[in-house]
Amino acid sequence: MRRIFLSAILLVVTAGSLHAAGPSDVAGGDRAFWPSPINSTASFDLASRAELLAFGKALADSERIDDQALQQQLQIKSFDHASVERIRATYWQRLTANYMLAAAHCDNRQPFCAPVHDQADFKRAAAAFVAAPAPEYRAWFDQASTFQHVYLNELLRLAALFPRVNSEVMSFSSQEIDGHALGDREFLLSFDDGPTHAGGSTDAMLQILRSLHTNATFFTLGEPLQARLKQSSPASVAALYQGMCVGAHGWEHRSHSAWPQWQDSVTRSMALVHDNLPDSYVPLFRPPFGQRRPDSGDFFAQHGWHVALWNIDSQDWNAKVGAEQVKQRVLTLMLLWRHGIILFHDIHTKAQVSVPWLHDQVRDAGVQWLDCHRFSAGT
């Protein structure tokens, strides 16, 4: 049985900032093991139930490991027990709600359709998920068990380091949004770190989005945006992003968690977008690495801005994860979480392969690619 383990690169360590090295293994899915296409709402729900049970089994298994053993397994030097317990409780709630949505129109004669009426029922069903329900799902079951255990470790690692090293895995205030409040089957595409130079990857990604009649939110860095404005003109850059939403990602890609000038980075980068791209500007800020100060909520509230995080990390930023693994991973996580904000990077080309493929895979599955303007209006 083929099992995919993808090594993660280390995050860049910036002087004066606190970063954690990435996990040694990153989950890379392979939907080829799933025996049927996801070409209807019923088939989406079937595949969703399967992934939910597989992740739930991984979560149940993790609760049988003591803190010391889990810390060693996650290969980290510090371990915040309260954060790990908090994220586990949150995941049980979300998994149960998602499973009940996915199982709303099935009965126990169908695969992966356990009788679940509350969280206790789902936890029992997940703990008992130790074998494929039918021969055609055996290859998927082996692959999914590996994927979901590795993926859960990614998340538990972030939780165990929180809040000392904070990330998208938990929020600090109501000014922060992570995608879990979206409706069932609603997904927002988002892209970080651009823009590239004229004619580069950003331009290509925007052309693909328009060909799909889809928009997205772009979180631009101040330095490359300023360079692009000088390279061409404010009018041409405004035309480039026409129909899209543009927020800010800081003046440079540097963690704001321990940077004394973090407020200046926010205000300068937000002002640059607001002043030069008024038709596309949205009051959303995405902190580099997802790292921000725990007490930053009042600052953002005073300016009428929201911190925009994510709940589906494509890993397209990872040099050791190829475009094929990126698209397979994202589809699996869409089935698991059933809604959310997907993180891509327009400075890389992997999203140019992934996004059209994802659109094609779920074309008839009831998935809605959320209008970024509607999303921004609701924050």
Side-chain angles (χ1 to χ4, degrees), residues 218-230:
F218 288 78
F219 293 95
T220 58
L221 285 168
E223 287 183 336
L225 177 57
Q226 186 178 63
R228 182 68 185 265
L229 290 165
K230 291 179 178 178

Side-chain angles (χ1 to χ4, degrees), residues 31-48 137 331 335 357 360-365:
R31 300 306 307 173
F33 290 107
W34 186 251
S36 57
I38 302 172
N39 56 4
S40 67
T41 56
S43 60
F44 184 96
D45 284 342
L46 171 64
S48 179
Y137 295 110
L331 180 54
L335 292 165
W357 183 84
D360 184 62
Q361 292 297 303
V362 298
R363 185 181 308 278
D364 300 312

Side-chain angles (χ1 to χ4, degrees), residues 54-65 88 92 126-127 149 152:
F55 185 86
K57 179 62 168 66
L59 186 58
D61 290 346
S62 80
E63 294 184 330
R64 293 195 290 268
I65 304 173
R88 280 173 170 156
W92 281 123
H149 276 84
L152 176 63

Side-chain angles (χ1 to χ4, degrees), residues 55-94:
F55 185 86
K57 179 62 168 66
L59 186 58
D61 290 346
S62 80
E63 294 184 330
R64 293 195 290 268
I65 304 173
D66 63 35
D67 286 359
Q68 183 177 2
L70 182 57
Q71 182 175 351
Q72 293 176 345
Q73 178 177 302
L74 299 177
Q75 301 178 4
I76 50 179
K77 294 182 179 179
S78 63
F79 187 94
D80 191 289
H81 174 82
S83 293
V84 170
E85 288 303 296
R86 175 184 164 195
I87 204 66
R88 280 173 170 156
T90 298
Y91 288 155
W92 281 123
Q93 293 171 358
R94 290 172 177 168

Side-chain angles (χ1 to χ4, degrees), residues 255-271:
S255 172
H256 286 191
S257 62
W259 185 15
Q261 290 77 38
W262 71 273
Q263 292 187 2
D264 180 66
S265 174
V266 176
T267 55
R268 289 178 67 199
S269 58
M270 292 293 284

Side-chain angles (χ1 to χ4, degrees), residues 37-41 43-44 185 187 211-214 331 334 354-369:
I38 302 172
N39 56 4
S40 67
T41 56
S43 60
F44 184 96
R185 303 176 200 257
F187 296 93
S211 72
L212 296 170
H213 306 287
T214 305
L331 180 54
M334 289 172 64
S354 300
V355 172
W357 183 84
L358 290 167
H359 271 250
D360 184 62
Q361 292 297 303
V362 298
R363 185 181 308 278
D364 300 312
V367 165
Q368 180 180 357
W369 299 102

Side-chain angles (χ1 to χ4, degrees), residues 57-366:
K57 179 62 168 66
L59 186 58
D61 290 346
S62 80
E63 294 184 330
R64 293 195 290 268
I65 304 173
D66 63 35
D67 286 359
Q68 183 177 2
L70 182 57
Q71 182 175 351
Q72 293 176 345
Q73 178 177 302
L74 299 177
Q75 301 178 4
I76 50 179
K77 294 182 179 179
S78 63
F79 187 94
D80 191 289
H81 174 82
S83 293
V84 170
E85 288 303 296
R86 175 184 164 195
I87 204 66
R88 280 173 170 156
T90 298
Y91 288 155
W92 281 123
Q93 293 171 358
R94 290 172 177 168
L95 294 172
T96 302
N98 285 354
Y99 188 84
M100 293 177 73
L101 287 169
H105 302 291
C106 72
D107 57 53
N108 56 15
R109 293 171 296 179
Q110 296 175 298
F112 312 105
C113 197
V116 170
H117 304 288
D118 54 28
Q119 184 170 301
D121 285 345
F122 178 76
K123 292 181 79 168
R124 283 191 291 270
F129 192 60
V130 296
E136 62 264 33
Y137 295 110
R138 285 174 185 166
W140 166 85
F141 180 87
D142 290 341
Q143 184 274 335
S145 297
T146 299
F147 176 95
Q148 297 296 359
H149 276 84
V150 175
Y151 176 59
L152 176 63
N153 281 345
E154 292 179 40
L155 301 176
L156 291 180
R157 189 176 187 280
L158 293 175
L161 294 170
F162 196 94
R164 179 175 174 268
V165 179
N166 59 70
S167 64
E168 79 282 2
V169 75
M170 293 183 188
S171 61
F172 285 119
S173 75
S174 60
Q175 293 301 116
E176 300 185 343
I177 49 180
D178 62 7
H180 281 295
L182 297 183
D184 190 39
R185 303 176 200 257
E186 289 184 347
F187 296 93
L188 177 74
L189 294 170
S190 69
F191 296 86
D192 286 7
D193 294 357
T196 56
H197 59 80
S201 182
T202 297
D203 302 53
M205 191 67 246
L206 285 160
Q207 185 175 358
I208 289 171
L209 289 172
R210 291 191 176 100
S211 72
L212 296 170
H213 306 287
T214 305
N215 61 26
T217 302
F218 288 78
F219 293 95
T220 58
L221 285 168
E223 287 183 336
L225 177 57
Q226 186 178 63
R228 182 68 185 265
L229 290 165
K230 291 179 178 178
Q231 179 191 16
S232 46
S233 68
S236 64
V237 177
L240 175 71
Y241 286 110
Q242 185 177 6
M244 305 293 160
C245 299
V246 183
H249 196 36
W251 195 256
E252 58 185 273
H253 206 280
R254 178 175 179 176
S255 172
H256 286 191
S257 62
W259 185 15
Q261 290 77 38
W262 71 273
Q263 292 187 2
D264 180 66
S265 174
V266 176
T267 55
R268 289 178 67 199
S269 58
M270 292 293 284
L272 188 68
V273 176
H274 178 275
D275 295 346
N276 290 278
L277 307 172
D279 293 337
S280 298
Y281 166 82
V282 290
L284 300 175
F285 181 82
R286 175 168 286 169
F289 308 106
Q291 296 180 352
R292 64 278 186 210
R293 291 179 58 89
D295 59 355
S296 62
D298 288 344
F299 168 81
F300 287 102
Q302 289 168 7
H303 289 84
W305 300 329
H306 285 267
V307 171
L309 301 172
W310 61 91
N311 64 313
I312 297 178
D313 185 350
S314 71
Q315 290 282 325
D316 69 331
W317 54 268
N318 191 328
K320 295 184 179 181
V321 180
E324 183 67 24
Q325 286 72 39
V326 166
K327 69 185 188 182
Q328 304 283 349
R329 171 188 169 96
V330 171
L331 180 54
T332 298
L333 298 184
M334 289 172 64
L335 292 165
L336 174 65
W337 297 123
R338 295 185 65 89
H339 54 254
I341 301 173
I342 305 174
L343 170 66
F344 285 110
H345 295 75
D346 53 303
I347 63 171
H348 303 304
T349 61
K350 297 170 191 175
Q352 296 173 32
V353 176
S354 300
V355 172
W357 183 84
L358 290 167
H359 271 250
D360 184 62
Q361 292 297 303
V362 298
R363 185 181 308 278
D364 300 312

